[in-house]
Amino acid sequence: MVAKLSLVGLGPGSVDLMSIRAQQTIQNADVIVGYALYVKLIASLINEQTLVRTGMTKEWQRADAAIQLVEQGKNVALVCSGDAGMYAMAPLVFEMLSSKQINIEIETIPGITAANACASLVGAPLGHDSCTISLSDLLTPWEVIVRRIEAAAMADFAITFYNPRSRKRQQHIVTAQQIILKYRSANTPVAVVNAAYREEQSVQISTLEHFTELEFGMNAAVIVGNESSYRFDDWIVTPRGYKNKYILEDGETRAGQTPGRALESSAIDAEVEQETTNKEVL
């Protein structure tokens, strides 16, 4: 077998939500490298593989160890929670390879992201354009993060916040809340999901005005709806826009619209005006 570095996304941590490709890669590896907690999550896939485990904030050491082991002829699986390319190890590994001009066989195996996993537990909060923003300023200046929050809020993206709060960092999520409140209703639905699909999972649904009053920390993701998002029972729905083109009750195309063609905004405006007129008459 050719020596190769596989960057493996484990998804939220539950083996049944991990891709078959990811499971096979882990089982066939000579060495598994990863944060100790993530290695523990895949205990059922480990047999005779050599394990290299490190603690929190040791990302450089894990990446360096994985690269060196591949250079020694080993088939290495570097495991990450979620997707390896999303706030995980893939960017660091590729940066190190390019910086050191190292050429090794490498592949990235995608995993379910925290945003996707958390969203699945509360309906369809990411049904339209969305973005993810990490509130950790360990590697990114806080001024840059604030600028990104402002832009995302103004552009009406549904937003998933990673690393929303820690013992030392309590105010960042409050600042994010205050920025978004400039552009969205205080009643905008917000989901706070902790440890999705793990034993300690918890799901809380609140509003933009009140969600910071909930208890949550680094392991949570906070999903803030856009201006069209609404609460339906215990779900959050962010419409894709079908209601603009079709009558949802019977599936008929609205007047002035054509399936498969660009949305006619003028037709929407005319229909809204007609609905307003009808209400005034009543």
Side-chain angles (χ1 to χ4, degrees):
M1 183 178 291
V2 178
K4 180 170 64 175
L5 175 56
S6 297
L7 305 172
V8 184
L10 302 180
S14 169
V15 173
D16 64 331
L17 288 177
M18 195 184 308
S19 72
I20 294 174
R21 176 78 171 273
Q23 295 180 49
Q24 291 174 340
T25 299
I26 292 168
Q27 291 171 322
N28 294 331
D30 297 319
V31 184
I32 297 172
V33 180
Y35 173 47
L37 173 61
Y38 302 154
V39 174
K40 183 179 179 180
L41 292 173
I42 56 171
S44 62
L45 301 176
I46 298 172
N47 42 65
E48 297 180 355
Q49 304 97 315
T50 300
L51 303 180
V52 176
R53 292 166 287 196
T54 63
M56 188 73 75
T57 74
K58 300 294 183 181
E59 293 88 356
W60 188 93
Q61 288 82 350
R62 289 198 291 277
D64 185 59
I67 292 168
Q68 288 192 40
L69 286 163
V70 174
E71 290 182 308
Q72 294 167 18
K74 303 295 184 181
N75 188 32
V76 179
L78 176 55
V79 299
C80 314
S81 68
D83 181 87
M86 288 283 292
Y87 306 113
M89 295 296 296
L92 175 58
V93 168
F94 281 106
E95 284 184 88
M96 291 173 66
L97 292 176
S98 63
S99 177
K100 297 181 179 183
Q101 292 296 299
I102 296 173
N103 186 14
I104 59 174
E105 185 78 17
I106 189 167
E107 68 171 344
T108 301
I109 299 173
I112 297 172
T113 68
N116 294 138
C118 294
S120 72
L121 294 170
V122 293
L126 305 180
H128 211 317
D129 298 332
S130 65
C131 68
T132 59
I133 299 176
S134 171
L135 293 187
S136 172
D137 57 3
L138 294 179
L139 300 173
T140 305
W142 176 238
E143 295 76 16
V144 173
I145 297 171
V146 167
R147 190 170 72 240
R148 291 172 179 171
I149 298 169
E150 185 87 33
M154 182 170 59
D156 195 36
F157 285 111
I159 307 170
T160 302
F161 288 109
Y162 283 55
N163 308 309
R165 183 186 278 163
S166 68
R167 282 185 305 228
K168 296 180 180 179
R169 183 171 36 77
Q170 296 286 313
Q171 187 61 30
H172 285 9
I173 190 65
V174 176
T175 300
Q177 175 196 40
Q178 292 169 346
I179 292 171
I180 301 171
L181 277 168
K182 294 191 299 183
Y183 302 94
R184 297 181 202 175
S185 163
N187 291 322
T188 300
V190 174
V192 178
V193 182
N194 182 72
Y197 295 98
R198 300 182 190 176
E199 290 183 2
E200 61 271 31
Q201 172 184 298
S202 69
V203 178
Q204 303 174 86
I205 297 181
S206 185
T207 63
L208 183 56
E209 182 179 19
H210 294 295
F211 82 91
T212 53
E213 300 165 13
L214 302 175
E215 291 291 330
F216 58 89
M218 285 286 288
N219 288 332
V222 174
I223 303 177
V224 181
N226 69 12
E227 65 180 16
S228 300
S229 301
Y230 62 91
R231 178 136 176 210
F232 168 59
D233 292 335
D234 290 329
W235 308 109
I236 296 175
V237 181
T238 299
R240 176 68 178 87
Y242 287 98
K243 192 175 182 180
N244 293 329
K245 183 166 283 190
Y246 304 100
I247 299 171
L248 299 186
E249 289 77 9
D250 57 18
E252 291 295 317
T253 305
R254 291 187 179 277
Q257 303 293 346
T258 304
R261 294 191 179 181
L263 191 69
E264 292 289 345
S265 299
S266 58
I268 297 175
D269 295 339
E271 188 153 346
V272 170
E273 184 177 347
Q274 184 60 51
E275 289 178 358
T276 301
T277 301
N278 292 342
K279 288 178 181 178
E280 290 175 350
V281 170
L282 292 174

